[in-house]
Amino acid sequence: MFKKILIANRGEIACRVIKTARRMGIATVAVYSDADALAPFVQMADEAVHIGPAPAAQSYLIPEKIIAACKATGAQAVHPGYGFLSERTSFAEALAAENIAFIGPPVGAIAAMGDKIESKKLAKAAGVNVVPGYVGEIDDTDHAVRIAGEIGYPVMMKASAGGGGKGMRLAFSEKDVREGFESVKREGLNSFGDDRVFIEKFIENPRHIEIQILGDQHGTILYLNERECSIQRRHQRWWRKPSPFVSPEMRKAMGEQCVALARAVGYYSAGTVELIVSGADKTGQSFYFLEMNTRLQVEHPVTEAITGIDLVEQMIRVAAGEKLAMTQDDIGIDGWAIENRVYAEDPYRGFLPSTGRLVRYRPPLAGWTDDGQANGRRGVDGVRVDDGVYEGGEVSMFYDPMIAKLVTWGQTRDEAADRQIAALDAFEIEGLGHNIDFVSAIMQHPRFRSGELTTGFIAEEYPEGFHGAPASAELQRALAGIAAFLATARADRARRVDGQLGKRLRPPSQWSVLVGGQTFAVELAGDEVTVDGALLDLAMEYTPGDSLVEAEVDGDVLGVKVKPTRGGFQLTTRGAIHQVQVLPARVAAYRAHMIEKIPPDLSRFLICPMPGLLVSLNVAEGDSVEAGQPLAVVEAMKMENILRAEKSGTVKTVHAKAGESLAVDAIILEME
């Protein structure tokens, strides 16, 4: 077994690998860029080596720097995590040349499966169903348009070396192909150093299901059941395992076919075969090979929670030449697990990337600790947080926007989802935008609960964008009672301030609370709380200044994040932000006379919606534009975002130029 390994990655996955290596008695080496000098994974490792500036292309993506760090520290093996160099054959070859073990699959398998074009050809030759498409070289945009027309719309354009949602565009028309083809090429080149693109038929109403593979160097290859990842946004997934759609027969057929594909390329270590399945075919026979990820997946904790198998440990043991200590018959399914990625992006602003400092970072429980027990891989009471950030740290524009992974386990699917909702309610993040409310809303959605999922779920259920999960009448009533309790506590503290003129006044006991456009009359009398004359069974504690309260309302526990505002509170719970106005009943009568401030009209400006790089500007001063016309492309968090005209008009002034780094809300141009 290895005595020391180096982790060629950063963030939560570096922390994850270090934890298992530590339990196995293996020393660890971290490598870090300027941006990560204070990151938790650097502090956790036994040794750390600085490898360059913040941009990944100048640090984490340079194999020579990783190899130099191995030599300097005596590391015998490298775990690449996911992303960066994890699927680059030249890196694995360079390690082998220096007699350093690669904790991953053989070079031949990476090469065979890493190229999406070649992998489809191999899969087809092996008898695996593949999605109809064009896997040859595409010359230019006009060629892409002809191919798309021959395949038939809708089509998906994908970067050949892409992954993680990068370099993908869905096209429903020739216009979409012309607008998106060059963007796909650029994303492929910028993220993976390869601008080749292939086009395939987009299967409508699809379910995205993937099979976890694990093999050793002695010929054993197992499948560790499936993960359903049909809920996607920008082809990034919210994960769930196992799938309510997959029958035991379907699971066996998929697993055996994926094992056969892996065996055809001499695969070992952990890997994932992605399949697309027609949700309309209840027989489960219409599944097609998409690609194979020859690395550890972001969502590996859900497989660990269901099977009890530590995938990182198995990868290390396989790389050291050990045989798998299990057979296919040993692989079971115990309960259900759900993983949600907590991202630095703002769902209330069209999911725009958000960067900045984590002014407050309080996960529902401390980061996961590897105790070596199978049940321990489910976290504490079925809740596990995998993270690599800290309060006061920054989420940088240079890397992926993931803040943490929240994993919950339960005996039933609903139990796992309920634990997600409760944990998300207790997850405090301030300082930048995040998607906690959005993923909580999904966990509550009736369609999610029913299991009727497709990859179009988000587009279909939130066509006008996300505005928060709808609040039931019961929740609004509970929030009214909670808000009145909070206001009473603050009023009680205010009356106790020394130096006030006159005698101390008692805090109001009767309140008028406005929640979601509805007004509630709330009265606090002793230990009783009534809302509109009906008793509310409310038990809670609150000290002014608390940012999170836990209330028991009619027997149910409700976690609520609290932020005082002028005239009330911002209460966040159950997947939505609730602006609550709380006034003493005697003052509420004057509410109608309060003047509302009218926001300025900014529709004539094209404003940068997030910090990023202005990749291209498509218009100049004096140009006429139509509503919906692409005006500029801004790159942030390794993704390109097309900014379009909100209305027709003429460009009056251009305030920025291509190549500039822009701050959020920076004015790019002004219309007449």
Side-chain angles (χ1 to χ4, degrees):
M1 179 51 64
F2 308 118
K3 293 183 178 180
K4 184 184 291 187
I5 65 173
L6 181 145
I7 298 94
N9 218 297
R10 61 176 301 278
E12 68 85 15
I13 188 57
C15 294
R16 164 70 185 91
V17 176
I18 291 170
K19 290 173 182 177
T20 287
R22 178 182 295 164
R23 175 175 57 78
M24 296 174 69
I26 301 172
T28 56
V29 179
V31 292
Y32 65 94
S33 71
D34 290 346
D36 286 332
L38 301 177
F41 76 93
V42 177
Q43 310 303 317
M44 288 175 61
D46 297 295
E47 300 175 68
V49 179
H50 177 255
I51 56 170
Q58 301 175 42
S59 51
Y60 295 107
L61 287 173
I62 300 180
E64 293 79 11
K65 292 188 175 184
I66 306 298
I67 292 172
C70 287
K71 290 180 177 180
T73 59
Q76 301 162 292
V78 171
H79 196 301
Y82 49 75
F84 292 146
L85 299 171
S86 62
E87 295 179 283
R88 186 173 293 185
T89 54
S90 59
F91 178 55
E93 289 171 339
L95 289 175
E98 298 292 341
N99 200 29
I100 301 170
F102 179 70
I103 303 176
V107 172
I110 299 174
M113 293 291 103
D115 187 317
K116 289 182 172 62
I117 293 175
E118 295 303 317
S119 67
K120 286 183 178 298
K121 293 178 181 178
L122 282 167
K124 190 172 183 179
V128 179
N129 291 341
V130 296
V131 179
Y134 184 86
V135 294
E137 294 288 337
I138 300 177
D139 302 326
D140 51 28
T141 300
D142 289 337
H143 189 196
V145 168
R146 291 197 302 274
I147 291 168
E150 292 169 1
I151 295 172
Y153 293 101
V155 298
M156 180 68 78
M157 298 178 289
K158 295 184 180 180
S160 178
K166 307 296 188 302
M168 300 176 71
R169 289 291 187 282
L170 180 59
F172 288 92
S173 65
E174 177 181 333
K175 177 175 176 290
D176 293 340
V177 176
R178 292 194 178 280
E179 285 185 3
F181 180 73
E182 289 299 326
S183 182
V184 172
K185 290 189 68 174
R186 281 196 302 270
E187 285 188 5
L189 184 62
N190 293 339
S191 296
F192 309 102
D194 186 342
D195 68 352
R196 290 178 301 155
V197 176
F198 70 96
I199 301 177
E200 65 185 13
K201 179 70 176 176
F202 179 72
I203 297 177
E204 298 182 85
N205 299 320
R207 298 182 81 115
H208 192 123
I209 295 173
E210 59 185 31
I211 303 293
Q212 176 69 57
I213 295 293
L214 180 64
D216 61 25
Q217 299 186 47
H218 304 277
T220 299
I221 303 178
L222 311 175
Y223 64 91
L224 277 60
N225 306 311
E226 83 283 352
R227 292 184 289 258
E228 168 137 10
C229 36
S230 294
I231 298 182
Q232 306 181 4
R233 195 191 64 75
R234 288 183 176 174
H235 313 292
Q236 301 261 358
R237 299 119 187 182
W238 281 272
W239 306 94
R240 181 172 64 166
K241 174 186 173 67
S243 168
F245 180 76
V246 176
S247 66
E249 295 77 17
M250 184 179 178
R251 181 176 298 120
K252 185 173 185 292
M254 286 179 167
E256 289 178 349
Q257 191 169 120
C258 293
V259 166
L261 177 62
R263 195 176 300 282
V265 294
Y267 199 89
Y268 56 77
S269 193
T272 298
V273 180
E274 297 189 8
L275 305 169
I276 192 165
V277 184
S278 172
D281 184 359
K282 301 302 181 182
T283 67
Q285 297 176 359
S286 299
F287 60 87
Y288 305 93
F289 169 79
L290 280 180
E291 61 181 325
M292 184 175 188
N293 295 315
T294 55
R295 54 171 167 77
L296 191 67
Q297 291 275 100
V298 177
E299 67 286 357
H300 73 272
V302 292
T303 294
E304 295 182 333
I306 299 301
T307 64
I309 296 170
D310 185 328
L311 288 173
V312 171
E313 177 183 349
Q314 295 304 318
M315 291 181 74
I316 295 172
R317 293 191 181 281
V318 167
E322 294 186 12
K323 293 182 178 181
L324 291 176
M326 66 202 79
T327 67
Q328 191 64 57
D329 292 338
D330 296 324
I331 310 301
I333 300 178
D334 184 7
W336 296 74
I338 298 172
E339 177 182 309
N340 276 308
R341 303 182 187 186
V342 178
Y343 270 149
E345 61 181 13
D346 191 346
Y348 294 102
R349 299 184 65 190
F351 297 95
L352 294 174
S354 181
T355 59
R357 190 169 301 282
L358 286 163
V359 176
R360 183 186 297 273
Y361 177 72
R362 308 278 175 84
L365 75 169
W368 174 74
T369 301
D370 187 357
D371 62 1
Q373 302 299 311
N375 287 346
R377 288 169 199 129
R378 297 169 182 166
V380 178
D381 297 326
V383 180
R384 169 177 167 178
V385 175
D386 283 23
D387 60 12
V389 299
Y390 63 99
E391 188 168 279
E394 281 195 72
V395 175
S396 169
M397 66 177 288
F398 296 105
Y399 311 119
D400 188 270
M402 187 165 65
I403 298 171
K405 300 187 305 196
L406 178 63
V407 185
T408 55
W409 176 91
Q411 288 290 354
T412 66
R413 191 157 51 88
D414 283 345
E415 184 180 349
D418 288 343
R419 284 179 173 163
Q420 276 281 336
I421 296 165
L424 290 164
D425 280 346
F427 210 133
E428 296 184 80
I429 296 177
E430 293 180 14
L432 42 73
H434 56 79
N435 66 338
I436 286 177
D437 287 352
F438 180 64
V439 293
S440 177
I442 290 177
M443 296 297 100
Q444 302 170 63
H445 200 287
R447 183 172 161 190
F448 174 86
R449 292 300 183 119
S450 71
E452 295 299 320
L453 307 175
T454 69
T455 54
F457 175 91
I458 292 175
E460 293 160 8
E461 298 300 328
Y462 302 98
E464 303 301 322
F466 178 72
H467 306 289
S472 65
E474 292 79 9
L475 179 59
Q476 288 186 334
R477 182 172 176 269
L479 290 176
I482 291 170
F485 187 101
L486 301 176
T488 301
R490 290 174 63 84
D492 185 60
R493 184 185 67 169
R495 77 184 182 92
R496 297 176 186 276
V497 175
D498 288 340
Q500 299 187 63
L501 297 176
K503 63 180 181 180
R504 291 179 175 176
L505 300 175
R506 294 183 61 81
S509 60
Q510 295 180 329
W511 299 89
S512 176
V513 183
L514 183 63
V515 184
Q518 183 174 351
T519 302
F520 297 87
V522 185
E523 182 173 0
L524 283 73
D527 293 332
E528 290 190 348
V529 179
T530 58
V531 179
D532 288 342
L535 185 66
L536 180 70
D537 185 4
L538 174 64
M540 61 179 288
E541 293 182 0
Y542 171 70
T543 300
D546 288 349
S547 58
L548 176 69
V549 298
E550 187 176 276
E552 186 174 324
V553 184
D554 294 333
D556 294 326
V557 177
L558 184 66
V560 182
K561 281 161 271 197
V562 179
K563 183 179 180 181
T565 60
R566 187 180 182 90
F569 302 93
Q570 177 180 286
L571 303 181
T572 304
T573 188
R574 291 299 189 266
I577 297 172
H578 304 271
Q579 301 296 343
V580 182
Q581 190 180 81
V582 189
L583 296 173
R586 59 185 174 80
V587 177
Y590 302 99
R591 179 185 284 132
H593 301 288
M594 297 178 69
I595 300 174
E596 291 188 19
K597 183 177 180 180
I598 300 175
D601 179 16
L602 300 177
S603 62
R604 72 178 188 276
F605 297 102
L606 179 66
I607 297 174
C608 188
M610 82 290 280
L613 177 71
L614 184 60
V615 176
S616 65
L617 188 62
N618 303 332
V619 293
E621 293 182 5
D623 287 354
S624 297
V625 300
E626 299 296 328
Q629 179 179 333
L631 301 180
V633 177
V634 175
E635 180 185 310
M637 294 291 194
K638 301 188 290 184
M639 298 287 286
E640 289 193 358
N641 303 271
I642 300 174
L643 307 184
R644 302 175 184 274
E646 291 187 12
K647 59 184 181 181
S648 301
T650 303
V651 178
K652 177 182 179 182
T653 309
V654 175
H655 295 272
K657 60 182 179 181
E660 286 187 5
S661 292
L662 303 178
V664 63
D665 293 333
I667 296 175
I668 298 174
L669 58 83
E670 181 182 355
M671 308 281 289
E672 290 184 350

